[in-house]
Amino acid sequence: MAANPERTRPHVGSHLLLTLLGIAFLFPVGWALLSAFKPADDIVRSPLTFDLSTFTLDNYTAMFQDVPIGQGFVNTAVVLLVKGAATMFLAPLAAFAFAKYQWIGKNLVFGAVLVTLMLPTIVLIIPLLLEMKELGWVNTYQALILPGAVDAFAIFWMRQVISAVPDELLDAARVDGCGEFAIFWRVVVPVIRPGLAGLAVLTVMNIYNDFVWPVVAASSERMATLQVVLSTLAQNITGNRIGADYATVTGELLAASSVALVPLLVLFILLQRHFINGILAGSVKG
């Protein structure tokens, strides 16, 4: 059967539009990754040209010497592992209670959780910082990990996902003698894996890119996360190298930004299918 031209044209147009948008969004990323391998002077003198014969690792070598980016990666990894694990375990557990149980004040408590989503982050910084100071946790991993470990958005989203789980599955598990936590772990978690995968990607991105709270709670260089290190990168370069010019700073900035970008880029490429499935799982309630 011959294809209907009137039906194929809209698809061609939409694909062309999406291709152009993809190129527009990816071009700055590709430019930054490639420019990091160019001599610093060439980045400023001819930013849009790429000569393979001049590619060099000098920007990366100088950046690792001038900037404590390794310590930033270590601190970010610690926060990511501990805080991410807490979010992935506690948020679905709280969401399970909101989605599948009836208890006095449930709607009121859930409403309070939703209200926290409407509060700007800047409103919470001073109270949280004063609390960390009273506990003696300023410039510690506790200050970086515990605030926000149970994310309100994660609870809201997982509640929508868990609400779609048929109650008959839970009742059948109770008849078989399962306890409530066993029902959550053995019945609910396997069903909501797509939603958990999507939540995992979002959680990693949020923690990895978090800047406002870490720069306030961990101002020392020893506890600085990757994003805090990047924010002070130009100052570190000029402070550690006498006579560092604009081209030198630009080259090392691009090198550091590329190093920070690659882990998230690889993560998203590897998990994009799970991320998309998770977004769809969280957007539809059966």
Side-chain angles (χ1 to χ4, degrees):
M1 181 181 290
N4 189 346
E6 295 182 357
R7 298 183 61 184
T8 57
R9 282 176 194 148
H11 293 290
V12 173
S14 61
H15 290 167
L16 179 61
L17 177 61
L18 291 174
T19 301
L20 293 176
L21 289 175
I23 293 174
F25 284 116
L26 291 176
F27 179 79
V29 177
W31 177 87
L33 293 174
L34 290 175
S35 296
F37 292 97
K38 294 171 60 176
D41 292 335
D42 289 352
I43 297 174
V44 178
R45 184 170 53 249
S46 53
L48 296 181
T49 61
F50 301 98
D51 186 358
L52 293 176
S53 64
T54 63
F55 273 28
T56 176
L57 295 175
D58 290 346
N59 291 324
Y60 287 94
T61 303
M63 182 269 296
F64 282 114
Q65 292 176 352
D66 295 337
V67 180
I69 197 169
Q71 184 63 40
F73 265 114
V74 171
N75 291 334
T76 298
V78 172
V79 175
L80 186 59
L81 289 174
V82 180
K83 189 173 184 176
T87 300
M88 293 301 300
F89 177 72
L90 296 176
L93 198 59
F96 178 57
F98 282 120
K100 294 301 182 182
Y101 293 97
Q102 298 298 326
W103 39 279
I104 298 175
K106 182 182 79 170
N107 293 333
L108 181 63
V109 174
F110 188 66
V113 171
L114 295 182
V115 166
T116 62
L117 290 175
M118 306 175 190
L119 295 176
T121 304
I122 195 70
V123 174
L124 303 174
I125 285 180
I126 293 178
L128 282 175
L129 185 59
L130 293 176
E131 183 179 354
M132 295 300 105
K133 182 179 179 182
E134 289 297 321
L135 294 172
W137 286 357
V138 177
N139 286 321
T140 64
Y141 282 121
Q142 298 95 301
L144 292 172
I145 293 171
L146 293 180
V150 185
D151 184 64
F153 173 76
I155 294 175
F156 167 74
W157 188 20
M158 294 312 301
R159 176 185 178 273
Q160 300 304 108
V161 175
I162 295 175
S163 295
V165 178
D167 292 335
E168 290 77 8
L169 290 178
L170 279 61
D171 294 337
R174 292 189 180 100
V175 170
D176 290 339
C178 280
E180 297 304 312
F181 182 77
I183 292 174
F184 167 77
W185 191 253
R186 297 179 182 177
V187 178
V188 175
V189 169
V191 174
I192 64 171
R193 280 179 181 171
L196 287 174
L199 177 62
V201 175
L202 289 177
T203 300
V204 170
M205 293 175 62
N206 289 337
I207 297 174
Y208 190 84
N209 293 323
D210 192 14
F211 169 73
V212 176
W213 175 245
V215 79
V216 173
S219 56
S220 69
E221 183 177 302
R222 179 180 60 87
M223 294 302 303
T225 60
L226 180 61
Q227 301 304 322
V228 177
V229 171
L230 292 178
S231 70
T232 59
L233 195 143
Q235 179 181 351
N236 288 333
I237 293 172
T238 55
N240 293 335
R241 182 182 297 186
I242 298 175
D245 56 5
Y246 175 75
T248 300
V249 174
T250 301
E252 295 189 32
L253 279 171
L254 288 175
S257 299
S258 299
V259 170
L261 173 65
V262 167
L264 276 186
L265 197 60
V266 172
L267 176 70
F268 183 77
I269 291 174
L270 293 177
L271 300 180
Q272 60 177 326
R273 180 173 61 86
H274 301 285
F275 176 68
I276 294 172
N277 290 338
I279 293 292
L280 294 176
S283 63
V284 179
K285 179 179 177 181

